[in-house]
Every structure is written in structure tokens, then in C-alpha cells.
Amino acid sequence: MLSKLEPEEKEYRESYGVDRLYFVVAPSGRKRWEVRFKKPATGRWAWMGIGTYPDVTAKAARAAAQDIADKVADGIDPVQKRREERTGEGRMGPFSITAKAWLKHRVEDGVFGPDTEYQARTALENDIIPVLGSIPISKVARADCAKVQRRIEARGALSRAKKCRIWLRDIFDYAHSLDRCDTNPATSLHVSSKAPGPSKPFPFLREEELPDFLRKLRHTSSGPLVAAASWITLYLSTRPGMVRWMYWPEIDLKEALWHIPAEKMKSRRDYVTPLPRQVVELLKEVRPLAGEDGQVFPNRNYRKNRKLANGRTNKVLAVGSINKCLSTMGYGGRMTGHGSRHTAKTLLTEHGWPRDWSEMQLAHSLPGTEDTYNQARLLKWRRVMMQWYADYLDALEAGISEEKVEWFDAQVLLPGGQRFTEPEPV
């Protein structure tokens, strides 16, 4: 009789003879059940407790031992399986646990940059987890995912709905790879989605609209950090998010270069941009305002005791800070931070600068296999082009006359002393 076994000076085990089931008696008199098994991954022997006696009867212990043996036969580590279930990381764990693990994985793997992480996190918190969060990951149905889509579409956020569909599909692919679900219930959501209207370019300004805009930007009421970030976005034609997440270790003021690592780039390629003297001067002006971790444009509302992981407060300027600056100047709906890229591409093209140079400056992906094989930076040529562009913007702000535009273009000297001339039309 199990109840008759007496404690001894040292803990001892008695084999119960079924699927390596053992009865353990501790010196304190406490009695429990353990099963010995081989870990599927390593083949090493391990122990797994299945409860105390008499809370777990011999019949229940035999059933548990058989279940462990079945799992091992299927290549499942029963200890790891139990850990997953207790932490909510198994098949019956809530959707929210897997979704947050997916986001962490994407960030650590370098797939999501800071802005994409922020967008995905806010979408999870505001749109997805409120609907799916408490449902076991393996029990989420297609109808549940469709409900998320309908709620977002109901408020007219069709672009947000599209992103959430993509992220949902990726979350369930991630869950499937971890054996937390058998199917992906988000695979066909696009079929029943509302079609977005034709895509529109970001609002941008043409050359004749720039003088008034530039003069207003020079006297913006925005703070020095936001103003400088707006000017640098304009001068460099870079994505606003890249400027907001600029860090001092990436900048070489002596060589007037900004090195951006691949994980922060949309193209997933390292990127280097020359810095016109106007940008160098702006960076020197904001240097004393640097963030504690090296941010060029720190968010002054960030607090040390508020974790970045909650997704609501970043260590750098807020996502909409540059656009808000332009909006307060009266250019809401007419110009955006990203629109400055359209402005630059248009103006550089109209003044005859080679397409390859401007495309490289905009960090656009190259077509086909060229994106893999062509690792050119065209740095010395882009340095001339972007200094011309910054000088030309300043000239427009100062009121360059129409008759002096051609004179201004003719002053460009390329490395080696040759003069830049507009290519002949094809």
C-alpha cells in the first residue's frame, strides 16, 4: 500500500511498473508521482512530476504516465509542452500571447523598423486584440478574423484594414510554425474586403509653390527639434521616419555623411547619404539637445519610468510631428513630410539630373536582379546633386528670379572639374 510507505533519511523512489511511473517519498513524508522519459530532442533521460499523493490517485497517475509516453512517441517534450500551456504559449494559450511574441520576433529579426513596429503594436492593441485576444490561438476561426476586418472597415480605415489582414495572416503563419494552430484562418480575408479607392500620391509642392512655403517654414512656430527635422527631411528627400530615428553614431559631420544600417531601411540595404552644408549646420545646432541614448531628435515627453514596449511613447519625435509642423503653417493636405520626396524627385528631374542619381538618393529598390548585383552608391555624384538641391531651395526661399534659374543650374561643377549639362532628350 502506497500510504504505508515510510519516509527515510534520504528521498527514495519506488517503481510503480507502468510506463516508467515512480512513487517518490521525501524525508518530510510528502509523497508524489514522477515519470521518467527520454527527451525527444537529445535522447537524454529526464524526470517529470505529475502531482502529489493522495491528491493524484494511482489510476490518475497511470493515465498521466501513458499520456506522457504518447507525447514522447510523437516527438513532443512533455515538460516543454506543460511550460507552454502554463505560460499561455501553447495551443490553448490566448491569441494575445502569440501575437505579442510574433511582434517581438519580427522586431528582433530586423523585419520591422521602429515605425512599422509602432503601427503593428497600435493595431494589435486597438483593433485586433480587443476582438481576438482572449480566444485560444488554436480556436480562432475565420469568422473571428473577418469581424476584425469589418470593424476597421466600418470606420473607413481601408488602408489600416489591409495592413491588419497582412499582419493577421503572418501571426497565424508564425503560430502554425510553432504548432499552436493547424490552419491559418486569415488567409482569405482579402476576398471579402472592401476595395480601397485608387491610391493617391502624398501631397507635395511644385517649384512655383516652394518660395512661400520655405519662407513660412523658416519662421515656423514649432520647436527647434521639429523645425530642424522638417528642414532635414526636405533637404535630403529622405523618409520622415528615417530622420526622426536618426542617431548620432550614424553621423559623420567631418565627412558630411549619414550611414543608415539596413535594419532601419525599407529596402533592407545599408544606405549612405551625403549631407549638404545646410544639414551639417542644422545638426550642429541641435547637438546640445541630443537624447540620452544618442537620439538626434529625442521626444521630450518620453519618461524613463514609462516602458517603450507599451508602444504609446517613443524615445524620438512622434510619428506625426513633421506633418503637424507643416499643417500649422497652413499646408495641411497640401504638403507632407513624405511629400518632400515627390517634390525633390520632380524638381531634380525637371532640372535634368540623371534618374539613377535621384533614385539612389531616394533609396528606391532597383528593378529585378539589379537590386542584388548593383551595389553602387554614386556618392560623389549625389554629393554634388544634393548640395545643388539644398542651395536651390535656399535660392527659391530668397526669391531667385526666373532669368537667373538657368544661370544657377550652369554653376554646377562635377568632381573632376567637368560642368554638369542637362542630358539631351531621347
Side-chain angles (χ1 to χ4, degrees):
M1 294 278 299
L2 297 175
S3 59
K4 300 293 185 181
L5 292 174
E6 297 292 334
E8 297 181 1
E9 185 177 348
K10 292 184 178 181
E11 184 175 270
Y12 67 92
R13 292 182 174 90
E14 293 285 343
S15 173
Y16 204 69
V18 179
D19 293 316
R20 298 191 176 88
L21 175 63
Y22 290 81
F23 192 73
V24 186
V25 181
S28 63
R30 181 175 177 270
K31 300 171 183 179
R32 67 182 189 275
W33 298 99
E34 285 186 352
V35 175
R36 197 178 188 210
F37 69 97
K38 278 189 176 182
K39 286 182 166 292
T42 63
R44 294 182 178 180
W45 288 102
W47 293 95
M48 181 175 179
I50 55 176
T52 59
Y53 177 85
D55 297 327
V56 177
T57 65
K59 182 178 180 180
R62 287 194 296 268
Q66 180 61 54
D67 181 62
I68 291 171
D70 292 342
K71 283 185 171 64
V72 172
D74 291 336
I76 300 171
D77 185 329
V79 173
Q80 179 65 25
K81 184 71 173 177
R82 176 189 287 176
R83 185 179 300 116
E84 290 176 351
E85 291 172 350
R86 286 178 175 174
T87 59
E89 296 176 349
R91 295 172 69 89
M92 295 308 292
F95 168 88
S96 59
I97 296 294
T98 297
K100 292 174 182 177
W102 161 81
L103 180 57
K104 181 180 179 182
H105 173 71
R106 281 288 180 245
V107 172
E108 292 178 348
D109 214 31
V111 176
F112 285 178
D115 283 347
T116 304
E117 176 193 1
Y118 176 82
Q119 292 173 19
R121 191 182 303 281
T122 53
L124 285 175
E125 292 179 351
N126 299 330
D127 294 314
I128 300 177
I129 287 179
V131 179
L132 308 179
S134 61
I135 304 175
I137 186 68
S138 60
K139 300 295 184 181
V140 177
R142 198 175 305 278
D144 299 317
C145 295
K147 183 178 179 181
V148 173
Q149 177 172 272
R150 288 196 304 271
R151 280 166 55 102
I152 302 172
E153 290 179 341
R155 64 175 191 264
L158 302 186
S159 294
R160 174 74 161 242
K162 181 179 179 180
K163 289 181 179 179
C164 285
R165 286 197 299 274
I166 295 171
W167 291 330
L168 273 173
R169 188 168 64 242
D170 200 36
I171 290 170
F172 284 104
D173 281 345
Y174 173 77
H176 186 263
S177 72
L178 297 176
D179 192 36
R180 297 182 187 178
C181 64
D182 295 320
T183 60
N184 189 326
T187 52
S188 303
L189 290 178
H190 66 283
V191 178
S192 60
S193 65
K194 289 184 178 180
S199 59
K200 298 179 181 179
F202 288 92
F204 71 101
L205 300 177
R206 293 188 176 274
E207 183 168 339
E208 61 272 16
E209 301 173 286
L210 286 173
D212 286 341
F213 167 78
L214 294 167
R215 286 190 281 269
K216 288 181 179 178
L217 181 57
R218 186 68 63 186
H219 298 94
T220 178
S221 59
S222 298
L225 288 173
V226 175
S230 301
W231 274 107
I232 290 175
T233 300
L234 188 67
Y235 280 134
L236 297 182
S237 69
T238 48
R239 295 180 177 88
M242 293 162 55
V243 175
R244 290 173 39 251
W245 287 94
M246 181 186 284
Y247 273 71
W248 282 108
E250 302 168 352
I251 299 168
D252 185 340
L253 289 179
K254 184 178 180 181
E255 297 297 327
L257 293 173
W258 177 18
H259 298 258
I260 308 177
E263 59 267 22
K264 292 175 67 175
M265 293 296 298
K266 184 177 181 180
S267 62
R268 297 301 167 204
R269 295 177 60 171
D270 290 335
Y271 176 75
V272 182
T273 181
L275 303 177
R277 64 175 180 274
Q278 291 89 335
V279 173
V280 172
E281 291 170 2
L282 283 167
L283 290 172
K284 288 179 178 178
E285 289 176 9
V286 299
R287 186 68 179 89
L289 304 177
E292 59 186 17
D293 294 328
Q295 307 95 327
V296 176
F297 298 108
N299 185 342
R300 296 304 179 188
N301 294 323
Y302 181 79
R303 295 291 181 268
K304 290 182 180 180
N305 61 352
R306 192 172 186 187
K307 294 182 179 179
L308 180 63
N310 68 17
R312 294 186 178 89
T313 305
N314 284 324
K315 288 187 175 183
V316 300
L317 292 180
V319 173
S321 55
I322 293 175
N323 286 347
K324 184 177 180 181
C325 169
L326 305 184
S327 180
T328 57
M329 292 162 40
Y331 282 83
R334 297 177 58 195
M335 181 63 164
T336 64
H338 200 100
S340 65
R341 292 166 58 79
H342 297 255
T343 294
K345 179 66 176 178
T346 302
L347 196 149
L348 290 170
T349 301
E350 288 179 341
H351 284 265
W353 291 93
R355 177 182 183 277
D356 287 352
W357 302 9
S358 59
E359 287 294 285
M360 190 67 67
Q361 181 63 28
L362 292 169
H364 284 161
S365 297
L366 300 173
T369 57
E370 190 176 0
D371 196 47
T372 301
Y373 292 101
N374 187 351
Q375 299 298 314
R377 288 177 171 175
L378 304 177
L379 197 56
K380 63 180 180 180
W381 311 111
R382 287 194 291 128
R383 188 183 291 277
V384 175
M385 179 181 70
M386 295 314 293
Q387 186 59 61
W388 173 91
Y389 183 63
D391 289 344
Y392 195 69
L393 291 179
D394 287 354
L396 289 173
E397 179 191 356
I400 182 173
S401 60
E402 291 186 13
E403 59 270 19
K404 286 190 176 181
V405 170
E406 291 185 9
W407 173 88
F408 192 96
D409 290 349
Q411 304 312 300
V412 179
L413 288 178
L414 299 177
Q418 67 268 41
R419 190 169 298 281
F420 174 76
T421 56
E422 183 175 344
E424 293 294 328
V426 178

Coordinates of all heavy atoms in Angstrom, one line a residue, residues 383-424:
R383 N 26.6 63.8 -53.9 CA 27.0 64.9 -53.1 C 26.9 66.2 -53.8 O 26.4 67.2 -53.2 CB 28.5 64.7 -52.6 CG 29.0 65.7 -51.6 CD 30.4 65.5 -51.3 NE 30.7 64.2 -50.6 CZ 30.6 64.0 -49.3 NH1 30.2 65.0 -48.5 NH2 30.9 62.9 -48.7
V384 N 27.3 66.2 -55.1 CA 27.1 67.4 -55.9 C 25.6 67.8 -56.1 O 25.2 68.9 -55.9 CB 27.8 67.3 -57.2 CG1 27.5 68.5 -58.1 CG2 29.3 67.1 -57.0
M385 N 24.9 66.7 -56.4 CA 23.4 66.9 -56.7 C 22.7 67.5 -55.5 O 21.9 68.4 -55.6 CB 22.8 65.6 -57.2 CG 21.3 65.7 -57.5 SD 20.6 64.1 -58.0 CE 20.6 63.2 -56.5
M386 N 22.9 66.9 -54.3 CA 22.2 67.3 -53.1 C 22.6 68.6 -52.6 O 21.8 69.4 -52.0 CB 22.3 66.2 -52.1 CG 21.6 64.9 -52.5 SD 20.0 65.1 -53.2 CE 19.0 65.7 -51.8
Q387 N 23.9 69.0 -52.8 CA 24.3 70.3 -52.4 C 23.7 71.4 -53.3 O 23.2 72.4 -52.9 CB 25.8 70.5 -52.5 CG 26.3 71.8 -52.0 CD 25.9 72.1 -50.5 OE1 26.3 71.3 -49.6 NE2 25.1 73.1 -50.3
W388 N 23.6 71.0 -54.7 CA 22.8 71.9 -55.6 C 21.4 72.0 -55.1 O 20.8 73.2 -55.1 CB 22.9 71.3 -57.0 CG 22.0 72.1 -58.0 CD1 22.4 73.1 -58.7 CD2 20.6 71.9 -58.2 NE1 21.3 73.6 -59.5 CE2 20.2 72.8 -59.2 CE3 19.7 71.0 -57.7 CZ2 18.9 72.9 -59.6 CZ3 18.4 71.0 -58.2 CH2 18.0 72.0 -59.1
Y389 N 20.8 70.9 -54.7 CA 19.4 70.9 -54.4 C 19.1 71.8 -53.1 O 18.2 72.6 -53.1 CB 18.9 69.5 -54.1 CG 17.4 69.4 -53.8 CD1 16.4 69.8 -54.8 CD2 16.9 68.9 -52.6 CE1 15.1 69.7 -54.5 CE2 15.6 68.8 -52.3 CZ 14.7 69.2 -53.2 OH 13.3 69.1 -53.0
A390 N 20.0 71.7 -52.1 CA 19.8 72.5 -50.9 C 20.0 73.9 -51.2 O 19.3 74.8 -50.8 CB 20.8 72.0 -49.8
D391 N 21.1 74.2 -52.1 CA 21.3 75.6 -52.4 C 20.1 76.2 -53.2 O 19.8 77.4 -53.1 CB 22.6 75.7 -53.3 CG 23.8 75.5 -52.4 OD1 23.8 75.5 -51.2 OD2 24.9 75.2 -53.0
Y392 N 19.6 75.4 -54.1 CA 18.5 75.8 -54.9 C 17.2 76.1 -54.1 O 16.5 77.1 -54.3 CB 18.2 74.8 -56.0 CG 17.3 75.4 -57.1 CD1 17.8 76.3 -58.0 CD2 16.0 75.0 -57.3 CE1 17.0 76.9 -59.0 CE2 15.2 75.5 -58.3 CZ 15.7 76.5 -59.2 OH 14.9 77.0 -60.1
L393 N 17.0 75.3 -53.1 CA 15.8 75.6 -52.2 C 16.1 76.9 -51.5 O 15.1 77.7 -51.3 CB 15.7 74.4 -51.2 CG 15.2 73.1 -51.7 CD1 15.1 72.1 -50.6 CD2 13.8 73.2 -52.4
D394 N 17.3 77.1 -51.0 CA 17.6 78.4 -50.3 C 17.4 79.6 -51.3 O 16.9 80.6 -50.9 CB 19.0 78.4 -49.8 CG 19.2 77.5 -48.6 OD1 18.1 76.9 -48.1 OD2 20.3 77.3 -48.1
A395 N 17.8 79.4 -52.6 CA 17.6 80.4 -53.6 C 16.2 80.7 -53.8 O 15.8 81.9 -54.0 CB 18.4 80.0 -54.9
L396 N 15.4 79.6 -53.9 CA 13.9 79.8 -54.1 C 13.3 80.6 -52.9 O 12.5 81.5 -53.0 CB 13.2 78.5 -54.2 CG 13.5 77.7 -55.5 CD1 12.8 76.3 -55.4 CD2 12.9 78.5 -56.7
E397 N 13.8 80.2 -51.7 CA 13.3 81.0 -50.5 C 13.7 82.4 -50.5 O 12.9 83.3 -50.2 CB 13.9 80.3 -49.2 CG 13.5 81.0 -47.9 CD 14.3 80.5 -46.7 OE1 15.1 79.6 -46.9 OE2 14.1 81.1 -45.7
A398 N 14.9 82.7 -51.0 CA 15.3 84.1 -51.1 C 14.7 84.9 -52.2 O 14.9 86.1 -52.3 CB 16.9 84.1 -51.2
G399 N 14.0 84.2 -53.2 CA 13.4 84.8 -54.3 C 14.2 84.9 -55.5 O 14.3 85.9 -56.2
I400 N 14.8 83.8 -55.9 CA 15.6 83.8 -57.2 C 14.6 84.1 -58.4 O 13.5 83.7 -58.5 CB 16.2 82.3 -57.4 CG1 17.0 82.3 -58.7 CG2 15.1 81.3 -57.5 CD1 17.8 81.0 -58.9
S401 N 15.1 85.0 -59.2 CA 14.3 85.4 -60.4 C 14.4 84.4 -61.5 O 15.3 83.6 -61.6 CB 14.9 86.7 -60.9 OG 16.2 86.6 -61.3
E402 N 13.4 84.4 -62.3 CA 13.2 83.4 -63.4 C 14.4 83.4 -64.3 O 14.9 82.4 -64.8 CB 12.0 83.6 -64.2 CG 10.7 83.3 -63.4 CD 9.4 83.4 -64.3 OE1 9.6 83.4 -65.5 OE2 8.4 83.3 -63.7
E403 N 15.0 84.6 -64.6 CA 16.1 84.7 -65.6 C 17.4 84.2 -65.0 O 18.3 83.9 -65.7 CB 16.3 86.2 -66.0 CG 16.6 87.2 -64.9 CD 15.3 87.8 -64.3 OE1 14.2 87.2 -64.6 OE2 15.4 88.8 -63.7
K404 N 17.4 84.0 -63.6 CA 18.6 83.5 -63.0 C 18.6 82.0 -62.8 O 19.6 81.4 -62.3 CB 18.9 84.2 -61.7 CG 19.4 85.6 -61.8 CD 19.8 86.2 -60.5 CE 20.4 87.6 -60.7 NZ 20.9 88.1 -59.4
V405 N 17.5 81.3 -63.1 CA 17.4 79.9 -62.9 C 18.4 79.2 -63.7 O 19.1 78.3 -63.3 CB 16.0 79.4 -63.2 CG1 15.9 77.9 -63.2 CG2 15.0 79.9 -62.2
E406 N 18.5 79.5 -65.0 CA 19.4 78.9 -65.9 C 20.9 79.1 -65.5 O 21.7 78.3 -65.5 CB 19.2 79.3 -67.4 CG 17.9 78.8 -68.0 CD 17.8 79.1 -69.4 OE1 18.8 79.6 -70.0 OE2 16.7 78.9 -70.0
W407 N 21.1 80.4 -65.0 CA 22.4 80.7 -64.5 C 22.8 79.9 -63.3 O 23.9 79.4 -63.2 CB 22.5 82.2 -64.1 CG 23.7 82.6 -63.4 CD1 24.9 83.0 -64.0 CD2 24.0 82.6 -62.0 NE1 25.9 83.3 -63.1 CE2 25.3 83.0 -61.8 CE3 23.2 82.3 -60.9 CZ2 25.9 83.2 -60.6 CZ3 23.8 82.4 -59.7 CH2 25.1 82.8 -59.5
F408 N 21.8 79.7 -62.4 CA 22.0 78.9 -61.2 C 22.4 77.4 -61.6 O 23.4 76.9 -61.1 CB 20.8 78.9 -60.4 CG 21.0 78.3 -59.0 CD1 21.2 79.2 -57.9 CD2 20.9 77.0 -58.7 CE1 21.4 78.7 -56.6 CE2 21.1 76.5 -57.4 CZ 21.4 77.4 -56.4
D409 N 21.7 76.9 -62.6 CA 22.0 75.5 -63.0 C 23.4 75.4 -63.6 O 24.1 74.4 -63.4 CB 20.9 75.0 -64.0 CG 19.6 74.8 -63.4 OD1 19.5 74.8 -62.1 OD2 18.6 74.6 -64.1
A410 N 23.8 76.4 -64.3 CA 25.0 76.3 -65.1 C 26.2 76.4 -64.2 O 27.4 76.2 -64.6 CB 25.1 77.5 -66.1
Q411 N 26.1 76.7 -62.9 CA 27.2 76.9 -62.0 C 27.7 75.5 -61.5 O 28.7 75.4 -60.8 CB 26.8 77.7 -60.8 CG 26.3 79.1 -61.2 CD 27.2 79.8 -62.2 OE1 28.4 80.0 -61.9 NE2 26.7 80.1 -63.3
V412 N 27.0 74.4 -61.8 CA 27.3 73.1 -61.2 C 28.6 72.6 -61.8 O 28.7 72.4 -63.0 CB 26.2 72.1 -61.4 CG1 26.5 70.8 -60.8 CG2 24.9 72.7 -60.7
L413 N 29.6 72.2 -61.0 CA 30.8 71.6 -61.4 C 30.8 70.2 -60.7 O 30.7 70.1 -59.5 CB 32.0 72.4 -61.0 CG 32.3 73.7 -61.8 CD1 33.5 74.3 -61.3 CD2 32.4 73.3 -63.3
L414 N 31.0 69.2 -61.6 CA 31.1 67.8 -61.0 C 32.5 67.5 -60.6 O 33.4 68.2 -61.0 CB 30.6 66.8 -62.1 CG 29.2 67.0 -62.6 CD1 28.9 66.0 -63.7 CD2 28.2 66.8 -61.5
P415 N 32.7 66.4 -59.8 CA 34.0 66.0 -59.5 C 34.9 65.8 -60.7 O 34.5 65.2 -61.7 CB 33.8 64.7 -58.7 CG 32.4 64.8 -58.2 CD 31.7 65.6 -59.2
G416 N 36.1 66.4 -60.7 CA 37.0 66.3 -61.8 C 36.9 67.6 -62.6 O 37.7 67.8 -63.6
G417 N 36.0 68.5 -62.3 CA 36.0 69.8 -62.9 C 35.1 70.0 -64.1 O 34.9 71.1 -64.6
Q418 N 34.5 68.8 -64.5 CA 33.6 69.0 -65.7 C 32.3 69.6 -65.3 O 31.8 69.5 -64.1 CB 33.3 67.6 -66.3 CG 32.5 66.6 -65.5 CD 33.4 65.7 -64.7 OE1 34.4 66.2 -64.1 NE2 33.1 64.4 -64.6
R419 N 31.7 70.3 -66.2 CA 30.4 71.1 -65.9 C 29.2 70.2 -66.2 O 29.2 69.5 -67.2 CB 30.4 72.3 -66.7 CG 29.2 73.3 -66.3 CD 29.4 74.6 -67.0 NE 30.6 75.3 -66.7 CZ 30.8 76.0 -65.5 NH1 29.9 76.0 -64.6 NH2 32.0 76.5 -65.3
F420 N 28.3 70.2 -65.3 CA 27.0 69.4 -65.5 C 26.2 70.1 -66.6 O 25.9 71.3 -66.5 CB 26.3 69.3 -64.2 CG 24.9 68.6 -64.4 CD1 24.9 67.3 -64.5 CD2 23.7 69.4 -64.4 CE1 23.7 66.6 -64.7 CE2 22.5 68.7 -64.6 CZ 22.5 67.4 -64.8
T421 N 25.8 69.3 -67.5 CA 24.8 69.8 -68.5 C 23.6 68.9 -68.6 O 23.7 67.7 -68.4 CB 25.5 69.8 -69.9 OG1 26.0 68.5 -70.2 CG2 26.7 70.8 -70.0
E422 N 22.5 69.5 -68.9 CA 21.3 68.7 -68.9 C 21.3 67.7 -70.1 O 21.7 68.1 -71.2 CB 20.1 69.6 -69.1 CG 18.7 68.9 -69.1 CD 17.6 69.9 -69.2 OE1 17.8 71.1 -68.9 OE2 16.5 69.5 -69.5
P423 N 21.0 66.4 -69.9 CA 21.1 65.4 -71.0 C 20.1 65.8 -72.1 O 19.1 66.3 -71.8 CB 20.8 64.1 -70.3 CG 20.0 64.5 -69.1 CD 20.6 65.8 -68.6
E424 N 20.5 65.4 -73.3 CA 19.7 65.7 -74.4 C 18.4 64.8 -74.3 O 18.5 63.6 -73.9 CB 20.4 65.4 -75.7 CG 21.5 66.3 -76.0 CD 21.0 67.7 -76.3 OE1 19.9 67.9 -76.9 OE2 21.7 68.7 -76.0

